[in-house]
Amino acid sequence: MSSPGAAAERIVRAACPHDCPDTCAMLVTVREEGGRKVAVKVAGDPGHPTTRGVLCAKVSRYLERTYHPERVLGPLKRVGRKGDGRFERVSWEQALDDIAARLKRIAAVDPQRIVPYSYAGTMGLVQGEAMAGRFFHRLGASLLDRTICATAGAEALTYTLGARTGPAMEAFADARLIILWGTNAIASNLHLWGFVQQAKRKGATLIAIDPYRSDTAEKCHRHIAPLPGTDGALALGLAHVLIREGWLDRDYIARHTLGFDALAARAEAFDPQRVARICGIGADEVEQLARDYWHIRPAAIRLNYGMQRAAGGGNAVRAVACLPALAGHWRDAAGGVLLSCSGVAEVDAGRLYRPDLLAGRRPRTINMSTIGTDLAQADPPIEALIVYNSNPVAVAPDSRVVAAGFAREDLFTVVLEHFRTDTADYADYVLPATTQLEHVDVHKSYGHLYVLANNPAIEPLGEALPNSEIFRRLAAGMGFTEPCFAETDEQLAAQAFRKTGATAKFDWEGLKQAGWQRLDVPQPYAPFARGGFPTPSGRCEFRSQALADLGLDPVPGYIPPHEGEASALASRYPLAIISPPARNFLNSTFVNVKSLRDTEGEPTLQIHPRDAAARAIGDGDRVRVFNDRGEFALTARVTERARPGVVVALSIWWKKLAADGRNANEVTSSRLTDIGRAPTFYDCRVEVARVAQARG
C-alpha cells in the first residue's frame, strides 16, 4: 500500500537477461513520476523455485546500469579515428539511411562480405536473434558460428548423452556427494550454490575441482587443483579406478550404455600415478575421489564451461559425462551430471529465425572465436560487421589481432549498444539499444527447468530502441517486404518454442501474467533413470559412431593442452594463466557500473608465493604478463589460492577502464578445441615480470 500523497507503485514481472545459468525471475517496482514511469527497485521473485527472492550483487544494481549517466541514448556517428571513440549525435533517419545504403552497395557485390557478430549480451529469444536472424538470412550475409562460450562442452554432451540436460537445480539439495568441477558457483551460479549449501547442512560432502582455490573451493570439504587443460586425464583416471575396483553399476551399463569395452580399454592407461603426473596432483587424490564417487550416493557433478576451454575440452566433457552411467548415478534425481539443461526447452528455430529466407543460398560461416584472423584474411574479405549483444574487442581471444581488424578504415562497423564499450569505440555508427527493463522478451534457461517472461517496466530512455525494432527498420531500409519483418515483439515471443515435448503447454499470454512456468517434465526430474538417452543408439554412448563418421576419436581420450607443460613454449613461458569471471562482472557486462567496479577493485594477478619469489615479485607490485601474442599489466596478489605454476587474472575488464588499456585477452590464443570449434582461453602460457615496487 502506498502512503497518502505518495506516488502509486506497481510490480512488473521480468527476467534477468544475462549469460548465467540462474536466469532469475525478477520483480521490478515502478513509480509514476512527472507523468513518466520510473523503475525504483529490482528484486528477485520469492515465489520462483530457484530464484527464491535473491538476486546476485550484479543484477541487484541493475537500476544503476539502466539509468547510468553514460547510456547511449541516441544514434552516434564516428567523427574521429577508429578506436578513438569520438562521435557526433545524428538522427535515426540519417543513421539508418546511411547504414542501409552502405549495406546495399556491399551486398550487390557479395552479401557474404557482411557479417553479424553477436552472443549473449541478452539471452532473450526476442532481443537476441529473432529479428536479427531474419534480417541476415534475407540478406544472405555470412553465418556466424557462435562458439565463444559453450560449444565444446555442449556438443560433447550431445554426442555422449544425446541432449543438453541433467539433474534439476533444486535436486542438488538432496545429493550426498557434490562435485563442483570447473565452477566457481558462488560467483557464476549463485542459486545452485544455495541448494548445495542445503545439501551440506544435511551432511553432503562437497569437492571442488579447479586449478584455482576460488571462493567456492574455499567452502568445500576438499579441493583438487589439476593443471589447466588436464581434466580429461582426471576423469579417465576416475574411470580407471572404478573399473579396476569393480565399482560399476553393471546392470545399468548393460541396459543403457554403448561401448563399455572401448572405454575400459582407453581408461586402462590412466592409472592414478600417471594421472597424478599429468594433472600435477597426488595419486591418492584420484583414488579417494573415485572411492567417494562410488560409495557416497546419490552423487551429482556440476560441470561448468571453464574446464572445456582447452585443446581437449570436448573430450574432457565426454569423459566426465560417462562417469554417472558407469556408477549408476543417473538412477536418482539427485545424481548425474549437469553442464547445461538448455536442450530441454526446444526453441522453434524455423519460425523464430526463418532460415527459409536464405532461399537456397548457402553462405559461408565465420567462427566468432577467430574474428581477428578472419578480419585480416577472410576471402572474400569482410567489409561490414554488425555487432550486437557482444563486445568482441574486449572478450574475443588474441585481442591485439582483433583490435587491428576492427581498426581497418575500410571496414564498415555498426554496433548496437547501451554504452561506449571497447568495441563501440571502433564503430562507424553506434545505435542505442534498450535494456531489459525497456522491452519485451522471453527466456529459457541453461541452468534450471523454467521459462520466463520479461514484461517492459518502463518506456525506452532517450531514443533507444529494442534490437528487434532496429533490425525491423534496417530491413525496411533494405527494401525487405516479407510479412515476417512486420511481426511485433509480442508475436515473436508467442512463437518462440515448439508446442511439443517440454514446451507443449507454452502459452505466451499466460506466461506474461505468471512471469514464469515450469517446463512440462516429470517431478522429480530424473531424465535417464531408466535410460532413454536421445542418442542414435538410445544409450549413453561411451563410443560415438557419429564422432567416428566425422573422423574424430569415438571414445573419450585425453588431449594435452596446446600450451601445456610438455609444449615447446613451456621453457620460455613457464606459467599457465586462466582468466575466470570476476565476481562483480559478468563477462564484460557491469564493468562500467562504478559501484561494482569499486567493489572489484583493480585488475590483479594472483600468483603463488613460490612463483612470486622466483621472480622477486611482492604483494602489490605492478607486474607485466606477456607471451608472443601480447602483454598486459596489473597488480600482483601473492597468494596460495593460485596453485604453483598457474596465475589467475579475474576478468573481463574493459580495456579502456584498465590502467594500461589492455586486458587478459592480449595473451590468449585463437586456437580451437577438439570438438565444437571453441576457443582455448585457459590453454595459455605466459611469463610474469615485476615492473614496479609495491606502492605505499
Side-chain angles (χ1 to χ4, degrees):
M1 295 286 292
S2 58
S3 60
E9 294 184 349
R10 67 187 185 94
I11 304 296
V12 178
R13 293 189 174 274
C16 176
H18 294 293
D19 187 3
C20 168
D22 293 19
T23 317
C24 290
M26 304 195 305
L27 300 177
V28 184
T29 303
V30 178
R31 182 183 299 156
E32 293 279 349
E33 293 184 1
R36 190 172 180 83
K37 299 173 184 174
V38 178
V40 296
K41 181 181 178 183
V42 175
D45 183 349
H48 186 249
T50 59
T51 304
R52 301 194 292 181
V54 176
L55 295 178
C56 69
K58 300 177 283 288
V59 179
S60 295
R61 309 284 179 83
Y62 203 79
L63 294 182
E64 293 181 45
R65 192 170 190 278
T66 298
Y67 293 109
H68 198 292
E70 296 174 1
R71 271 284 299 272
V72 176
L73 296 178
L76 302 175
K77 181 179 180 180
R78 177 169 65 92
V79 295
R81 293 185 312 164
K82 286 199 169 189
D84 286 351
R86 293 171 54 214
F87 299 93
E88 66 178 6
R89 183 81 169 257
V90 296
S91 69
W92 270 109
E93 181 180 23
Q94 178 183 341
L96 293 172
D97 285 351
D98 193 12
I99 293 167
R102 294 286 294 271
L103 295 182
K104 283 179 181 178
R105 288 199 296 271
I106 296 169
V109 177
D110 185 351
Q112 294 182 107
R113 296 171 183 243
I114 302 168
V115 175
Y117 195 101
S118 66
Y119 199 64
T122 175
M123 296 291 285
L125 297 176
V126 175
Q127 305 306 333
E129 301 300 333
M131 196 57 69
R134 296 175 182 198
F135 176 81
F136 290 113
H137 285 144
R138 173 64 178 80
L139 182 61
S142 289
L143 304 176
L144 185 70
D145 198 6
R146 293 178 171 85
T147 62
I148 204 160
C149 179
T151 53
E155 291 189 14
L157 205 68
T158 302
Y159 284 121
T160 310
L161 307 180
R164 297 184 303 280
T165 190
M169 184 188 291
E170 303 96 308
F172 277 74
D174 298 319
R176 299 292 296 168
L177 173 68
I178 299 175
I179 300 174
L180 296 153
W181 201 319
T183 180
N184 183 9
I186 291 175
S188 59
N189 202 175
L190 180 64
H191 296 81
L192 175 92
W193 180 248
F195 292 108
V196 171
Q197 288 294 91
Q198 282 184 241
K200 185 179 183 181
R201 288 192 291 270
K202 292 190 290 186
T205 298
L206 311 185
I207 301 173
I209 301 176
D210 195 322
Y212 163 58
R213 199 167 78 230
S214 66
D215 291 344
T216 299
E218 290 263 308
K219 296 184 181 301
C220 289
H221 296 99
R222 293 210 306 278
H223 173 215
I224 300 171
L227 290 165
T230 64
D231 302 83
L234 177 55
L236 288 167
L238 297 180
H240 175 100
V241 177
L242 293 173
I243 295 166
R244 183 195 72 198
E245 297 296 326
W247 292 337
L248 302 169
D249 187 330
R250 297 188 184 278
D251 177 69
Y252 194 93
I253 291 168
R255 291 174 182 269
H256 305 309
T257 73
L258 178 72
F260 172 77
D261 289 344
L263 179 62
R266 178 63 51 81
E268 186 175 3
F270 289 85
D271 59 87
Q273 290 73 28
R274 182 189 178 202
V275 170
R277 291 192 298 273
I278 292 171
C279 297
I281 59 176
D284 59 323
E285 293 181 281
V286 183
E287 297 274 5
Q288 184 62 51
L289 183 58
R291 184 177 298 108
D292 288 345
Y293 190 66
W294 173 252
H295 289 288
I296 305 176
R297 294 176 173 270
I301 298 172
R302 172 61 173 119
L303 186 64
N304 213 349
Y305 291 110
M307 57 82 71
Q308 46 106 73
R309 294 185 177 130
N315 270 273
V317 170
R318 287 207 71 220
V320 175
C322 290
L323 297 175
L326 284 177
H329 287 298
W330 283 120
R331 293 186 185 275
D332 197 292
V337 59
L338 176 62
L339 174 65
S340 169
C341 58
S342 64
V344 182
E346 292 190 61
V347 174
D348 194 339
R351 293 183 70 199
L352 203 57
Y353 309 136
R354 296 295 302 274
D356 59 292
L357 293 170
L358 284 167
R361 295 170 294 180
R362 301 182 67 180
R364 68 178 174 188
T365 297
I366 297 292
N367 188 330
M368 70 185 305
S369 298
T370 58
I371 188 62
T373 301
D374 290 326
L375 284 170
Q377 300 177 9
D379 185 17
I382 298 171
E383 294 185 15
L385 199 61
I386 315 297
V387 180
Y388 54 103
N389 299 330
S390 189
N391 183 11
V393 173
V395 305
D398 204 355
S399 192
R400 185 169 58 176
V401 176
V402 175
F406 271 81
R408 281 175 35 201
E409 282 294 332
D410 64 335
L411 176 70
F412 181 61
T413 303
V414 178
V415 175
L416 285 61
E417 253 300 351
H418 304 134
F419 302 102
R420 297 189 192 183
T421 62
D422 291 335
T423 303
D425 283 347
Y426 288 85
D428 294 284
Y429 280 97
V430 180
L431 303 181
T434 47
T435 68
Q436 189 76 343
L437 301 190
E438 302 161 85
H439 56 228
V440 170
D441 221 325
V442 63
H443 291 255
K444 66 173 184 174
S445 173
Y446 62 93
H448 61 63
L449 300 174
Y450 301 86
V451 292
L452 301 93
N454 186 76
N455 295 291
I458 59 174
E459 297 298 321
L461 300 186
E463 297 182 57
L465 294 174
N467 286 349
S468 53
E469 179 61 17
I470 294 173
F471 282 108
R472 280 190 198 93
R473 296 188 184 190
L474 282 173
M478 297 293 290
F480 300 162
T481 59
E482 288 81 357
C484 68
F485 291 108
E487 289 184 344
T488 67
D489 287 0
E490 294 275 351
Q491 290 173 310
L492 293 174
Q495 59 191 283
F497 297 108
R498 293 182 181 176
K499 296 297 182 70
T500 58
T503 49
K505 298 178 181 178
F506 170 68
D507 171 62
W508 171 240
E509 291 301 320
L511 184 64
K512 283 196 300 180
Q513 297 299 317
W516 51 270
Q517 179 185 46
R518 192 174 189 273
L519 294 170
D520 191 16
V521 294
Q523 177 76 280
Y525 182 61
F528 307 127
R530 295 178 178 83
F533 294 88
T535 55
S537 67
R539 295 166 175 252
C540 176
E541 296 197 351
F542 299 151
R543 184 189 186 280
S544 167
Q545 185 59 43
L547 283 172
D549 292 344
L550 293 172
L552 299 174
D553 193 337
V555 182
Y558 169 61
I559 297 175
H562 293 307
E563 300 186 7
E565 290 200 323
S567 70
L569 284 174
S571 60
R572 287 191 295 138
Y573 301 115
L575 298 172
I577 185 172
I578 59 174
S579 47
R583 185 168 182 173
N584 292 285
F585 306 153
L586 203 160
N587 298 324
S588 74
T589 305
F590 295 103
V591 180
N592 67 320
V593 175
K594 188 175 185 301
S595 63
L596 292 168
R597 194 168 68 252
D598 289 347
T599 301
E600 192 63 34
E602 61 182 335
T604 61
L605 185 78
Q606 299 187 36
I607 183 170
H608 190 273
R610 184 190 310 167
D611 296 324
R615 293 160 178 81
I617 293 170
D619 192 70
D621 281 349
R622 194 76 178 160
V623 294
R624 169 176 167 256
V625 181
F626 61 96
N627 61 19
D628 291 343
R629 289 179 288 271
E631 64 178 76
F632 67 114
L634 62 180
T635 299
R637 292 287 175 254
V638 179
T639 172
E640 292 189 353
R641 295 183 73 170
R643 62 153 290 161
V646 179
V647 291
V648 182
L650 299 180
S651 295
I652 299 170
W653 286 79
W654 287 15
K655 294 182 178 185
K656 66 168 67 179
L657 296 178
D660 67 338
R662 298 169 181 162
N663 69 17
N665 280 320
E666 300 292 330
V667 299
T668 56
S669 165
S670 60
R671 294 183 73 170
L672 303 177
T673 54
D674 51 342
I675 296 171
R677 311 161 306 285
T680 54
F681 287 112
Y682 299 170
D683 187 338
C684 180
R685 299 201 77 79
V686 297
E687 182 55 288
V688 178
R690 182 170 62 89
V691 295
Q693 294 292 337
R695 291 163 297 170

